[in-house]
Amino acid sequence: GADNCETDFELSLAEGASLKMVFLTLGGERVRNRLQVSLQGREASCDLAGLSLADGGQEMDYDILLTHQVPQCRSNQLFKSVVGGHAVTRFHGLIKVVPDAQKTEAYQANHNLLASEAARAFTKPQLEIYADDVKCSHGATVGRLNEDELFYMRTRGIPQEEARLLQQLAFVGEVLEKISAPDLREKMAALVEERMRRMR
């Protein structure tokens, strides 16, 4: 049904191919995005980004497997979530670099903002590297709104709810910037802001 949504992508990139995907997950009671990308030709590159906005009792998952099969490929992942209510988000991201895939560059980041006491975010970024001449990193954070910044904005006459919204918009901006087409980026930013204003 409309409340349960699963997307499943399996993609292979040939020599010189470039893939750029941005996921925006703004609704649905139970959403699971599965993505498998295999870089199979030299000089292939992959840029993945995603944003989840979850509240109420929503559950949103990302399950990503990215495999570097050959030398001289690049990949970058940036996934963020804002979690309110008693919602739950999960991120599981595995980057595999096979033995001969030298000169690989692979980066992965997952950042989560908890907007309520009961909200939860689980994150499991992983690297499996079997080559020695690589540049790879991963990182994950789970945090709350910055109380000092909120206090500062309140002293400048910005109402509490608006101050919270401004902080959340600043947090998600990096993902929205990944949308290359300016018109589409503007449209999606408006959708995200409207959804955030309704978050519980």
Side-chain angles (χ1 to χ4, degrees):
D3 286 341
N4 290 286
C5 176
E6 288 206 21
T7 61
D8 213 329
F9 295 95
E10 278 190 49
L11 305 165
S12 297
L13 302 187
E15 185 174 346
S18 176
L19 169 68
K20 187 171 186 180
M21 291 181 85
V22 181
F23 292 82
L24 296 181
T25 308
L26 309 182
E29 278 308 300
R30 180 82 177 82
V31 181
R32 184 163 191 188
N33 294 311
R34 278 199 206 88
L35 182 59
Q36 290 185 45
V37 181
S38 180
L39 288 86
Q40 296 187 341
R42 284 174 187 247
E43 303 292 334
S45 69
C46 175
D47 192 338
L48 306 176
L51 171 63
S52 300
L53 302 181
D55 67 355
Q58 291 179 309
E59 292 184 41
M60 295 183 179
D61 298 0
Y62 280 102
D63 197 341
I64 296 166
L65 170 60
L66 200 145
T67 309
H68 283 257
Q69 299 276 16
V70 296
Q72 296 171 319
C73 291
R74 292 189 325 279
S75 68
N76 190 57
Q77 298 178 54
L78 174 65
F79 287 83
K80 292 192 172 190
S81 68
V82 178
V83 197
H86 54 279
V88 180
T89 61
R90 299 178 190 86
F91 176 85
H92 179 224
L94 173 59
I95 297 171
K96 288 176 93 164
V97 182
V98 306
D100 295 329
Q102 306 296 355
K103 305 291 182 192
T104 286
E105 285 190 36
Y107 307 103
Q108 180 189 75
N110 174 231
H111 301 300
N112 304 278
L113 185 61
L114 302 180
S116 73
E117 286 302 316
R120 288 174 297 158
F122 298 98
T123 179
K124 191 179 179 185
Q126 288 178 287
L127 296 175
E128 276 186 26
I129 301 168
Y130 302 102
D132 53 13
D133 185 8
V134 301
K135 290 181 185 173
C136 296
S137 71
H138 63 27
T141 58
V142 178
R144 298 189 180 278
L145 294 171
N146 185 311
E147 292 298 331
D148 292 339
E149 284 179 14
L150 286 173
F151 177 76
Y152 178 82
M153 286 191 273
R154 295 288 306 279
T155 64
R156 296 297 179 276
I158 298 170
Q160 172 90 3
E161 285 311 304
E162 200 65 20
R164 287 169 61 86
L165 180 71
L166 288 171
Q167 260 196 8
Q168 291 172 359
L169 286 171
F171 176 77
V172 305
E174 197 181 357
V175 173
L176 293 170
E177 283 301 313
K178 296 272 189 180
I179 302 171
S180 335
D183 289 356
L184 182 60
R185 185 168 62 239
E186 215 171 283
K187 192 175 177 181
M188 293 301 105
L191 271 180
V192 165
E193 180 173 343
E194 191 260 337
R195 172 72 180 94
M196 277 183 167
R197 287 185 184 278
R198 288 186 288 109
M199 281 184 74
R200 303 181 297 285

